[in-house]
Amino acid sequence: MEQSYTTYFAEIYDDVMKNVPYNYWFRYLGDLLKYYQHQPESALELASGTSNMTLKLIELQSLNRITALDLSSAMLSKAAEKLEAELYNSQKFSNFKVQNNNSSYQLQQNKRNLTVNFKAQNMTDFHFKDKFDLIVSFFDSLNYLTDIDQLQGCFESAARSLNNDGLFIFDMNSVGRINTIEEKSFVIEGDSYECFWEDIVKAKENLWQVKLKICPDNDQLPCFEETHSERGYKIETILRLLKNSGFKAVDVYNAFSFATGKNHSDRLYFAAALDEKRLQQNQGKLKKLFYGARNRIDYFLVSLKYLF
Ligand SMILES: C[S@@+](CC[C@H](N)C(=O)[O-])C[C@H]1O[C@@H](n2cnc3c(N)ncnc32)[C@H](O)[C@@H]1O
């Protein structure tokens, strides 16, 4: 990762992303878990950022251990801050303890004990003492691994960190989307900043870069610049890397549907398992049709901003 997700960008990230329908993404994840009849007790989120999805994962009542991993300690500090604010402001948890300088939280809710850990680590090479039932990653974070060896390293780490009957679910921007993003520049006007955004597409390298210049509304403070790079990979390449890493079964979906994903789909969701029969343990075709149809309708309403 180049110099990105610095302290300043971490401060404004949620404001810049305020229209992202995380609630809807979480419901889609919920449907995938129901479809695969999965009730995970432990979850690892890769590239968890400021915890927009981590805070939703807490709502999965079966979970008693969540680890949120990100390379940027600035994003993780923001995440911990948000978790604390949520804990102080909501009645959901009757009791909680903070340990190790905001990196570990013990929460109590009726009979449920939940641990939430934040870890500053690289998702290309991570090791945990205890394995997880579920590993997830959202918002094209895996596209940030612009070198194929990094993506392989991430999949290998996920394979050794996943329980044998667990699921690894992640989204990625398709190679088709990366190559057809329109090159443009625009300005995002925040309450306390201006963010100059420039999209650059290098189609030959399947590379999309976003150059950001963030200027606080304060003449005393300097502007900051960041470059974000995402690489698109063909589905065949991703499947090969997953198989090389030990995943024996993989379903690929056109995001927010249960239809098979294609290289020209916009966003893809992958559900990968170490056990070759694990994905066959599902609720069957009728439920798949139901979830698919419901998510497509919701997707349409979300795009019109009627839902979530
Ligand atoms: C687009 S943001 C998504 C954040 C979060 N998943 C969300 O949905 O809001 C991408 C995140 O990937 C993280 N990231 C990029 N490269 C990484 C790496 N090699 N290891 C861990 N995290 C990484 C960044 O720090 C950033 O928080």
Side-chain angles (χ1 to χ4, degrees):
M1 188 169 63
E2 284 140 65
Q3 179 66 353
S4 60
Y5 295 99
T6 55
T7 307
Y8 198 76
F9 189 56
E11 255 334 293
I12 65 165
Y13 178 84
D14 285 341
D15 194 55
V16 173
M17 303 302 169
K18 61 177 178 265
N19 292 325
V20 175
Y22 287 106
N23 283 337
Y24 169 57
W25 290 8
F26 180 62
R27 228 228 3 229
Y28 178 63
L29 173 73
D31 283 351
L32 287 171
L33 294 178
K34 278 186 251 157
Y35 177 67
Y36 290 116
Q37 303 182 314
H38 198 39
Q39 293 204 310
E41 291 183 10
S42 51
L44 169 65
E45 185 185 356
L46 304 177
S48 52
T50 59
S51 77
N52 290 325
M53 288 299 274
T54 323
L55 294 180
K56 304 213 173 296
L57 288 176
I58 290 176
E59 293 169 27
L60 289 180
Q61 294 298 317
S62 60
L63 287 177
N64 56 40
R65 177 167 54 99
I66 299 174
T67 299
L69 172 159
D70 200 281
L71 191 57
S72 160
S73 32
M75 294 291 271
L76 287 175
S77 302
K78 199 74 201 156
E81 207 179 280
K82 281 164 64 180
L83 174 62
E84 279 188 32
E86 171 122 343
L87 292 174
Y88 282 117
N89 294 328
S90 89
Q91 306 298 314
K92 275 190 232 158
F93 292 91
S94 53
N95 197 358
F96 70 90
K97 274 193 285 187
V98 185
Q99 294 171 334
N100 317 335
N101 296 328
N102 299 3
S103 65
S104 182
Y105 293 77
Q106 312 286 332
L107 321 184
Q108 212 172 39
Q109 181 186 43
N110 304 323
K111 287 189 180 152
R112 180 181 178 206
N113 283 308
L114 170 67
T115 306
V116 181
N117 292 309
F118 293 105
K119 293 274 178 212
Q121 275 192 39
N122 198 324
M123 64 177 155
T124 58
D125 185 18
F126 55 88
H127 297 258
F128 289 99
K129 189 164 64 70
D130 297 314
K131 295 190 178 197
F132 298 89
D133 297 331
L134 176 68
I135 301 182
V136 287
S137 185
F138 306 98
F139 211 172
D140 35 275
S141 300
L142 265 58
N143 292 95
Y144 276 76
L145 305 179
T146 53
D147 180 320
I148 197 160
D149 292 338
Q150 296 175 327
L151 193 59
Q152 176 84 68
C154 176
F155 291 165
E156 284 170 7
S157 302
R160 70 170 166 261
S161 306
L162 190 66
N163 281 321
N164 204 41
D165 58 350
L167 294 178
F168 177 28
I169 297 177
F170 58 93
D171 73 11
M172 281 183 96
N173 271 327
S174 75
V175 66
R177 167 154 204 259
I178 295 270
N179 289 341
T180 53
I181 286 172
E182 189 195 335
E183 291 202 302
K184 58 192 175 318
S185 308
F186 54 94
V187 183
I188 301 170
E189 304 265 2
D191 282 346
S192 59
Y193 67 90
E194 277 190 326
C195 177
F196 299 86
W197 180 298
E198 184 186 358
D199 289 305
I200 300 160
V201 177
K202 297 179 180 165
K204 277 194 192 142
E205 298 163 60
N206 299 325
L207 201 66
W208 168 40
Q209 291 187 307
V210 179
K211 283 199 171 169
L212 300 177
K213 183 171 176 186
I214 305 148
C215 297
D217 284 348
N218 179 341
D219 295 343
Q220 309 296 313
L221 296 174
C223 296
F224 292 81
E225 293 192 24
E226 294 202 359
T227 302
H228 295 225
S229 300
E230 290 196 16
R231 168 151 286 135
Y233 295 93
K234 284 191 176 157
I235 292 175
E236 302 76 66
T237 308
I238 298 166
L239 293 180
R240 177 167 52 79
L241 298 183
L242 283 167
K243 296 233 156 113
N244 288 347
S245 309
F247 288 96
K248 298 230 168 60
V250 185
D251 284 339
V252 188
Y253 296 111
N254 182 7
F256 318 122
S257 82
F258 278 67
T260 304
K262 303 272 192 277
N263 280 321
H264 59 260
S265 306
D266 222 26
R267 185 182 295 278
L268 297 165
Y269 263 76
F270 293 81
L274 297 169
D275 181 324
E276 64 185 331
K277 299 231 166 75
R278 176 62 188 85
L279 299 182
Q280 292 164 22
Q281 183 190 319
N282 62 48
Q283 289 181 312
K285 281 191 185 138
L286 272 181
K287 274 285 185 190
K288 190 178 201 174
L289 278 175
F290 167 73
Y291 292 136
R294 195 181 65 178
N295 275 279
R296 285 329 273 174
I297 294 167
D298 287 356
Y299 183 68
F300 178 68
L301 295 174
V302 165
S303 61
L304 296 178
K305 305 208 182 336
Y306 277 130
L307 256 189
F308 300 107

Short mmCIF file of all heavy atoms in Angstrom, two decimals, residues 1-2 4-6 9 13-14 17 20 22 25 45-54 69-73 75-76 82 119-125 137-142 144-145 150 171 228 230, ligand 1:
data_model
loop_
_atom_site.label_atom_id
_atom_site.label_comp_id
_atom_site.label_asym_id
_atom_site.label_seq_id
_atom_site.Cartn_x
_atom_site.Cartn_y
_atom_site.Cartn_z
N MET A 1 0.86 -1.19 0.00
CA MET A 1 0.00 0.00 0.00
C MET A 1 0.89 1.23 0.00
O MET A 1 1.78 1.33 0.82
CB MET A 1 -0.89 -0.01 1.25
CG MET A 1 -1.93 1.05 1.27
SD MET A 1 -3.19 0.87 2.59
CE MET A 1 -2.25 1.02 4.09
N GLU A 2 0.65 2.11 -0.98
CA GLU A 2 1.42 3.35 -0.96
C GLU A 2 0.96 4.17 0.25
O GLU A 2 0.14 3.73 1.03
CB GLU A 2 1.12 4.16 -2.22
CG GLU A 2 1.81 3.62 -3.45
CD GLU A 2 0.89 3.69 -4.64
OE1 GLU A 2 0.56 4.81 -5.02
OE2 GLU A 2 0.51 2.65 -5.17
N SER A 4 -1.19 5.82 2.02
CA SER A 4 -2.63 6.09 1.98
C SER A 4 -3.24 5.71 3.33
O SER A 4 -2.61 5.08 4.15
CB SER A 4 -3.32 5.34 0.85
OG SER A 4 -3.16 3.96 0.99
N TYR A 5 -4.47 6.14 3.53
CA TYR A 5 -5.14 5.94 4.82
C TYR A 5 -4.32 6.51 5.97
O TYR A 5 -4.12 5.88 7.01
CB TYR A 5 -5.51 4.46 5.02
CG TYR A 5 -6.53 4.03 3.99
CD1 TYR A 5 -6.16 3.34 2.85
CD2 TYR A 5 -7.87 4.41 4.13
CE1 TYR A 5 -7.09 3.02 1.88
CE2 TYR A 5 -8.81 4.08 3.17
CZ TYR A 5 -8.41 3.38 2.05
OH TYR A 5 -9.32 3.08 1.08
N THR A 6 -3.81 7.71 5.73
CA THR A 6 -3.06 8.44 6.74
C THR A 6 -4.04 8.97 7.81
O THR A 6 -5.26 8.87 7.64
CB THR A 6 -2.37 9.65 6.10
OG1 THR A 6 -3.41 10.39 5.44
CG2 THR A 6 -1.32 9.24 5.10
N PHE A 9 -6.75 11.29 6.37
CA PHE A 9 -7.81 10.64 5.58
C PHE A 9 -8.71 9.80 6.49
O PHE A 9 -9.92 9.74 6.30
CB PHE A 9 -7.22 9.81 4.43
CG PHE A 9 -8.29 9.32 3.49
CD1 PHE A 9 -9.16 10.20 2.87
CD2 PHE A 9 -8.46 7.97 3.25
CE1 PHE A 9 -10.18 9.77 2.03
CE2 PHE A 9 -9.47 7.51 2.41
CZ PHE A 9 -10.33 8.41 1.79
N TYR A 13 -12.65 9.79 6.40
CA TYR A 13 -13.09 8.61 5.62
C TYR A 13 -14.61 8.40 5.70
O TYR A 13 -15.29 8.26 4.68
CB TYR A 13 -12.34 7.37 6.12
CG TYR A 13 -12.75 6.10 5.40
CD1 TYR A 13 -12.18 5.75 4.18
CD2 TYR A 13 -13.71 5.24 5.94
CE1 TYR A 13 -12.56 4.58 3.52
CE2 TYR A 13 -14.09 4.08 5.28
CZ TYR A 13 -13.51 3.76 4.08
OH TYR A 13 -13.89 2.62 3.42
N ASP A 14 -15.14 8.41 6.92
CA ASP A 14 -16.57 8.12 7.06
C ASP A 14 -17.44 9.19 6.41
O ASP A 14 -18.52 8.90 5.91
CB ASP A 14 -16.94 7.96 8.54
CG ASP A 14 -16.44 6.63 9.08
OD1 ASP A 14 -16.16 5.73 8.27
OD2 ASP A 14 -16.32 6.50 10.31
N MET A 17 -17.38 8.56 2.71
CA MET A 17 -18.12 7.33 2.37
C MET A 17 -19.55 7.32 2.93
O MET A 17 -20.15 6.26 3.05
CB MET A 17 -17.36 6.09 2.91
CG MET A 17 -15.95 5.95 2.43
SD MET A 17 -15.90 5.89 0.62
CE MET A 17 -14.14 6.07 0.34
N VAL A 20 -22.32 5.15 1.38
CA VAL A 20 -22.13 3.71 1.14
C VAL A 20 -23.17 2.94 1.96
O VAL A 20 -23.27 3.15 3.18
CB VAL A 20 -20.70 3.27 1.55
CG1 VAL A 20 -20.54 1.76 1.42
CG2 VAL A 20 -19.67 4.00 0.70
N TYR A 22 -23.79 0.43 3.88
CA TYR A 22 -23.23 -0.69 4.67
C TYR A 22 -24.34 -1.59 5.25
O TYR A 22 -24.16 -2.79 5.35
CB TYR A 22 -22.37 -0.15 5.81
CG TYR A 22 -21.03 0.41 5.38
CD1 TYR A 22 -20.80 1.79 5.37
CD2 TYR A 22 -19.98 -0.43 5.01
CE1 TYR A 22 -19.56 2.30 4.99
CE2 TYR A 22 -18.74 0.08 4.63
CZ TYR A 22 -18.54 1.45 4.62
OH TYR A 22 -17.32 1.96 4.25
N TRP A 25 -25.21 -3.97 2.64
CA TRP A 25 -24.13 -4.95 2.46
C TRP A 25 -24.17 -5.99 3.57
O TRP A 25 -23.93 -7.18 3.34
CB TRP A 25 -22.76 -4.25 2.51
CG TRP A 25 -22.46 -3.37 1.34
CD1 TRP A 25 -23.31 -3.00 0.33
CD2 TRP A 25 -21.20 -2.74 1.05
NE1 TRP A 25 -22.66 -2.19 -0.55
CE2 TRP A 25 -21.37 -2.01 -0.13
CE3 TRP A 25 -19.96 -2.72 1.68
CZ2 TRP A 25 -20.35 -1.26 -0.71
CZ3 TRP A 25 -18.94 -1.99 1.12
CH2 TRP A 25 -19.13 -1.26 -0.07
N GLU A 45 -12.12 -9.92 10.31
CA GLU A 45 -12.38 -9.02 9.17
C GLU A 45 -11.05 -8.45 8.69
O GLU A 45 -10.31 -7.84 9.47
CB GLU A 45 -13.33 -7.88 9.58
CG GLU A 45 -13.68 -7.04 8.35
CD GLU A 45 -14.52 -5.81 8.65
OE1 GLU A 45 -14.92 -5.61 9.82
OE2 GLU A 45 -14.75 -5.03 7.71
N LEU A 46 -10.75 -8.65 7.43
CA LEU A 46 -9.52 -8.14 6.84
C LEU A 46 -9.76 -6.74 6.29
O LEU A 46 -10.79 -6.50 5.66
CB LEU A 46 -9.05 -9.05 5.69
CG LEU A 46 -8.85 -10.53 6.04
CD1 LEU A 46 -8.45 -11.32 4.79
CD2 LEU A 46 -7.79 -10.67 7.13
N ALA A 47 -8.81 -5.84 6.51
CA ALA A 47 -8.91 -4.46 6.02
C ALA A 47 -10.20 -3.82 6.52
O ALA A 47 -11.01 -3.31 5.75
CB ALA A 47 -8.82 -4.43 4.50
N SER A 48 -10.37 -3.87 7.83
CA SER A 48 -11.64 -3.47 8.45
C SER A 48 -11.84 -1.96 8.51
O SER A 48 -12.93 -1.49 8.83
CB SER A 48 -11.69 -4.04 9.86
OG SER A 48 -10.50 -3.68 10.55
N GLY A 49 -10.78 -1.19 8.21
CA GLY A 49 -10.92 0.27 8.14
C GLY A 49 -11.42 0.86 9.44
O GLY A 49 -10.97 0.50 10.53
N THR A 50 -12.37 1.78 9.33
CA THR A 50 -12.88 2.48 10.52
C THR A 50 -14.02 1.70 11.18
O THR A 50 -14.82 2.27 11.91
CB THR A 50 -13.36 3.90 10.18
OG1 THR A 50 -14.40 3.75 9.20
CG2 THR A 50 -12.26 4.77 9.63
N SER A 51 -14.14 0.42 10.87
CA SER A 51 -15.08 -0.51 11.53
C SER A 51 -16.53 -0.40 11.09
O SER A 51 -17.42 -0.84 11.81
CB SER A 51 -15.00 -0.42 13.06
OG SER A 51 -15.68 0.72 13.56
N ASN A 52 -16.78 0.13 9.90
CA ASN A 52 -18.18 0.26 9.47
C ASN A 52 -18.88 -1.10 9.40
O ASN A 52 -20.05 -1.21 9.76
CB ASN A 52 -18.26 0.98 8.12
CG ASN A 52 -17.89 2.43 8.30
OD1 ASN A 52 -18.21 3.03 9.33
ND2 ASN A 52 -17.19 3.01 7.34
N MET A 53 -18.17 -2.13 8.95
CA MET A 53 -18.78 -3.46 8.91
C MET A 53 -18.53 -4.20 10.23
O MET A 53 -19.37 -5.00 10.65
CB MET A 53 -18.26 -4.27 7.73
CG MET A 53 -18.78 -3.80 6.39
SD MET A 53 -20.59 -3.90 6.22
CE MET A 53 -20.83 -5.57 5.69
N THR A 54 -17.40 -3.92 10.90
CA THR A 54 -17.12 -4.60 12.17
C THR A 54 -18.25 -4.33 13.17
O THR A 54 -18.72 -5.25 13.86
CB THR A 54 -15.80 -4.07 12.80
OG1 THR A 54 -14.85 -3.82 11.77
CG2 THR A 54 -15.23 -5.03 13.80
N LEU A 69 -8.73 -6.48 11.46
CA LEU A 69 -7.32 -6.27 11.09
C LEU A 69 -7.22 -5.21 10.00
O LEU A 69 -8.01 -5.20 9.06
CB LEU A 69 -6.79 -7.62 10.59
CG LEU A 69 -5.42 -7.77 9.95
CD1 LEU A 69 -4.99 -9.24 10.04
CD2 LEU A 69 -5.37 -7.33 8.51
N ASP A 70 -6.29 -4.30 10.16
CA ASP A 70 -6.05 -3.30 9.11
C ASP A 70 -4.59 -2.86 9.19
O ASP A 70 -3.98 -2.88 10.27
CB ASP A 70 -6.97 -2.08 9.29
CG ASP A 70 -7.12 -1.28 8.00
OD1 ASP A 70 -6.20 -0.50 7.69
OD2 ASP A 70 -8.14 -1.44 7.30
N LEU A 71 -4.04 -2.47 8.04
CA LEU A 71 -2.65 -2.02 8.01
C LEU A 71 -2.49 -0.62 8.60
O LEU A 71 -1.44 -0.26 9.12
CB LEU A 71 -2.17 -2.03 6.55
CG LEU A 71 -0.70 -1.85 6.27
CD1 LEU A 71 0.12 -2.89 7.00
CD2 LEU A 71 -0.43 -1.95 4.77
N SER A 72 -3.56 0.17 8.50
CA SER A 72 -3.47 1.57 8.92
C SER A 72 -3.87 1.73 10.38
O SER A 72 -5.04 1.53 10.75
CB SER A 72 -4.39 2.42 8.03
OG SER A 72 -4.67 3.63 8.66
N SER A 73 -2.89 2.10 11.23
CA SER A 73 -3.27 2.27 12.64
C SER A 73 -4.16 3.49 12.81
O SER A 73 -4.95 3.55 13.77
CB SER A 73 -2.06 2.32 13.56
OG SER A 73 -0.98 2.89 12.93
N MET A 75 -6.67 4.24 10.81
CA MET A 75 -8.04 3.73 10.58
C MET A 75 -8.50 2.93 11.80
O MET A 75 -9.65 3.04 12.24
CB MET A 75 -8.08 2.85 9.32
CG MET A 75 -7.80 3.59 8.02
SD MET A 75 -9.08 4.76 7.52
CE MET A 75 -10.17 3.73 6.56
N LEU A 76 -7.58 2.16 12.39
CA LEU A 76 -7.95 1.35 13.55
C LEU A 76 -8.26 2.21 14.77
O LEU A 76 -9.15 1.88 15.55
CB LEU A 76 -6.84 0.34 13.87
CG LEU A 76 -6.71 -0.83 12.90
CD1 LEU A 76 -5.49 -1.69 13.26
CD2 LEU A 76 -7.96 -1.70 12.87
N LYS A 82 -14.94 4.67 17.49
CA LYS A 82 -16.35 4.50 17.14
C LYS A 82 -16.99 3.40 17.98
O LYS A 82 -18.14 3.51 18.38
CB LYS A 82 -16.48 4.19 15.65
CG LYS A 82 -16.36 5.44 14.81
CD LYS A 82 -16.11 5.14 13.36
CE LYS A 82 -17.22 4.40 12.69
NZ LYS A 82 -16.89 4.14 11.26
N LYS A 119 -6.33 -5.24 15.32
CA LYS A 119 -4.93 -5.61 15.07
C LYS A 119 -4.38 -4.83 13.88
O LYS A 119 -4.97 -4.87 12.79
CB LYS A 119 -4.83 -7.10 14.69
CG LYS A 119 -5.18 -8.04 15.80
CD LYS A 119 -3.97 -8.31 16.69
CE LYS A 119 -4.35 -9.21 17.84
NZ LYS A 119 -3.64 -9.00 19.04
N ALA A 120 -3.25 -4.14 14.10
CA ALA A 120 -2.59 -3.46 12.99
C ALA A 120 -1.65 -4.47 12.33
O ALA A 120 -0.59 -4.77 12.88
CB ALA A 120 -1.82 -2.26 13.51
N GLN A 121 -2.09 -5.02 11.23
CA GLN A 121 -1.29 -6.05 10.54
C GLN A 121 -1.52 -5.96 9.05
O GLN A 121 -2.53 -5.41 8.60
CB GLN A 121 -1.73 -7.45 11.00
CG GLN A 121 -1.06 -7.91 12.27
CD GLN A 121 -1.30 -9.40 12.52
OE1 GLN A 121 -1.30 -10.21 11.62
NE2 GLN A 121 -1.53 -9.74 13.77
N ASN A 122 -0.59 -6.57 8.33
CA ASN A 122 -0.72 -6.61 6.88
C ASN A 122 -1.53 -7.85 6.51
O ASN A 122 -1.22 -8.94 7.00
CB ASN A 122 0.69 -6.69 6.26
CG ASN A 122 0.66 -6.30 4.81
OD1 ASN A 122 -0.31 -6.59 4.10
ND2 ASN A 122 1.70 -5.64 4.36
N MET A 123 -2.53 -7.67 5.67
CA MET A 123 -3.35 -8.85 5.33
C MET A 123 -2.64 -9.78 4.35
O MET A 123 -3.17 -10.83 3.99
CB MET A 123 -4.72 -8.43 4.81
CG MET A 123 -4.73 -7.67 3.53
SD MET A 123 -6.43 -7.34 3.04
CE MET A 123 -6.23 -5.88 2.04
N THR A 124 -1.45 -9.41 3.91
CA THR A 124 -0.71 -10.30 3.00
C THR A 124 0.00 -11.41 3.76
O THR A 124 0.44 -12.39 3.16
CB THR A 124 0.35 -9.51 2.19
OG1 THR A 124 1.23 -8.89 3.13
CG2 THR A 124 -0.29 -8.47 1.32
N ASP A 125 0.14 -11.26 5.09
CA ASP A 125 0.83 -12.28 5.87
C ASP A 125 0.43 -12.14 7.33
O ASP A 125 0.97 -11.32 8.04
CB ASP A 125 2.36 -12.09 5.72
CG ASP A 125 3.11 -13.20 6.41
OD1 ASP A 125 2.51 -14.25 6.68
OD2 ASP A 125 4.32 -13.01 6.68
N SER A 137 -14.02 -9.78 4.11
CA SER A 137 -13.41 -8.51 3.73
C SER A 137 -14.36 -7.80 2.77
O SER A 137 -14.96 -8.44 1.89
CB SER A 137 -12.05 -8.72 3.06
OG SER A 137 -11.46 -7.46 2.82
N PHE A 138 -14.50 -6.48 2.96
CA PHE A 138 -15.48 -5.73 2.17
C PHE A 138 -14.86 -4.49 1.53
O PHE A 138 -13.81 -4.01 1.94
CB PHE A 138 -16.62 -5.24 3.09
CG PHE A 138 -17.27 -6.34 3.86
CD1 PHE A 138 -16.91 -6.59 5.17
CD2 PHE A 138 -18.21 -7.17 3.26
CE1 PHE A 138 -17.48 -7.62 5.89
CE2 PHE A 138 -18.79 -8.21 3.97
CZ PHE A 138 -18.43 -8.43 5.29
N PHE A 139 -15.61 -3.96 0.59
CA PHE A 139 -15.32 -2.67 -0.06
C PHE A 139 -14.01 -2.72 -0.84
O PHE A 139 -13.12 -1.91 -0.64
CB PHE A 139 -15.28 -1.55 0.99
CG PHE A 139 -15.73 -0.21 0.46
CD1 PHE A 139 -15.91 0.87 1.30
CD2 PHE A 139 -15.97 -0.03 -0.90
CE1 PHE A 139 -16.32 2.10 0.82
CE2 PHE A 139 -16.38 1.19 -1.40
CZ PHE A 139 -16.55 2.25 -0.53
N ASP A 140 -13.92 -3.69 -1.70
CA ASP A 140 -12.78 -3.89 -2.62
C ASP A 140 -11.40 -3.75 -1.96
O ASP A 140 -10.44 -3.40 -2.63
CB ASP A 140 -12.87 -3.05 -3.90
CG ASP A 140 -13.50 -1.68 -3.76
OD1 ASP A 140 -14.71 -1.57 -3.81
OD2 ASP A 140 -12.75 -0.70 -3.64
N SER A 141 -11.33 -4.09 -0.68
CA SER A 141 -10.04 -3.95 0.01
C SER A 141 -8.99 -4.88 -0.59
O SER A 141 -7.80 -4.53 -0.63
CB SER A 141 -10.21 -4.24 1.51
OG SER A 141 -11.13 -3.33 2.05
N LEU A 142 -9.42 -6.06 -1.05
CA LEU A 142 -8.42 -7.00 -1.59
C LEU A 142 -7.84 -6.51 -2.92
O LEU A 142 -6.76 -6.93 -3.32
CB LEU A 142 -9.00 -8.41 -1.73
CG LEU A 142 -8.71 -9.31 -0.51
CD1 LEU A 142 -9.22 -8.74 0.77
CD2 LEU A 142 -9.22 -10.71 -0.72
N TYR A 144 -6.64 -3.74 -3.22
CA TYR A 144 -5.46 -2.95 -2.84
C TYR A 144 -4.19 -3.78 -2.92
O TYR A 144 -3.09 -3.22 -2.88
CB TYR A 144 -5.62 -2.38 -1.42
CG TYR A 144 -6.41 -1.10 -1.38
CD1 TYR A 144 -7.80 -1.11 -1.52
CD2 TYR A 144 -5.78 0.13 -1.22
CE1 TYR A 144 -8.54 0.06 -1.50
CE2 TYR A 144 -6.52 1.31 -1.20
CZ TYR A 144 -7.88 1.27 -1.34
OH TYR A 144 -8.59 2.43 -1.34
N LEU A 145 -4.33 -5.09 -2.99
CA LEU A 145 -3.15 -5.95 -3.14
C LEU A 145 -2.83 -5.99 -4.63
O LEU A 145 -3.37 -6.80 -5.39
CB LEU A 145 -3.45 -7.34 -2.56
CG LEU A 145 -3.93 -7.27 -1.09
CD1 LEU A 145 -4.23 -8.65 -0.55
CD2 LEU A 145 -2.92 -6.55 -0.21
N GLN A 150 1.07 -10.73 -3.36
CA GLN A 150 0.41 -10.24 -2.14
C GLN A 150 -0.96 -10.91 -1.99
O GLN A 150 -1.36 -11.30 -0.89
CB GLN A 150 0.22 -8.72 -2.21
CG GLN A 150 1.51 -7.93 -2.25
CD GLN A 150 1.23 -6.44 -2.44
OE1 GLN A 150 0.26 -6.06 -3.11
NE2 GLN A 150 2.07 -5.61 -1.86
N ASP A 171 -15.45 -9.39 -1.02
CA ASP A 171 -15.84 -8.78 -2.29
C ASP A 171 -14.60 -8.22 -2.99
O ASP A 171 -13.56 -8.00 -2.37
CB ASP A 171 -16.90 -7.68 -2.07
CG ASP A 171 -16.34 -6.41 -1.44
OD1 ASP A 171 -15.11 -6.24 -1.34
OD2 ASP A 171 -17.14 -5.55 -1.03
N HIS A 228 -4.38 6.10 -3.90
CA HIS A 228 -4.91 4.76 -3.64
C HIS A 228 -4.85 3.98 -4.95
O HIS A 228 -5.23 4.50 -5.98
CB HIS A 228 -6.37 4.84 -3.19
CG HIS A 228 -6.54 5.54 -1.88
ND1 HIS A 228 -7.35 5.07 -0.89
CD2 HIS A 228 -5.98 6.68 -1.38
CE1 HIS A 228 -7.29 5.86 0.15
NE2 HIS A 228 -6.47 6.87 -0.13
N GLU A 230 -5.81 0.29 -6.90
CA GLU A 230 -6.50 -1.00 -6.88
C GLU A 230 -6.22 -1.73 -8.19
O GLU A 230 -6.26 -1.12 -9.25
CB GLU A 230 -8.03 -0.80 -6.77
CG GLU A 230 -8.48 -0.28 -5.43
CD GLU A 230 -9.99 -0.47 -5.22
OE1 GLU A 230 -10.62 -1.25 -5.95
OE2 GLU A 230 -10.52 0.21 -4.32
C1 LIG B 1 -11.65 1.00 0.89
S1 LIG B 1 -11.03 0.84 2.53
C2 LIG B 1 -12.25 -0.28 3.19
C3 LIG B 1 -12.35 -0.24 4.65
C4 LIG B 1 -13.50 -1.06 5.23
N1 LIG B 1 -13.42 -2.45 4.83
C5 LIG B 1 -14.85 -0.48 4.84
O1 LIG B 1 -15.67 -1.23 4.29
O2 LIG B 1 -15.10 0.71 5.08
C6 LIG B 1 -9.61 -0.17 2.32
C7 LIG B 1 -8.91 -0.54 3.62
O3 LIG B 1 -7.90 -1.49 3.30
C8 LIG B 1 -6.80 -1.27 4.16
N2 LIG B 1 -5.63 -1.92 3.57
C9 LIG B 1 -5.05 -1.67 2.39
N3 LIG B 1 -4.00 -2.48 2.19
C10 LIG B 1 -3.92 -3.29 3.27
C11 LIG B 1 -3.07 -4.37 3.67
N4 LIG B 1 -2.07 -4.76 2.88
N5 LIG B 1 -3.31 -5.00 4.84
C12 LIG B 1 -4.34 -4.60 5.65
N6 LIG B 1 -5.16 -3.58 5.33
C13 LIG B 1 -4.98 -2.94 4.17
C14 LIG B 1 -6.71 0.25 4.26
O4 LIG B 1 -5.96 0.68 5.38
C15 LIG B 1 -8.20 0.60 4.33
O5 LIG B 1 -8.65 0.67 5.67
#
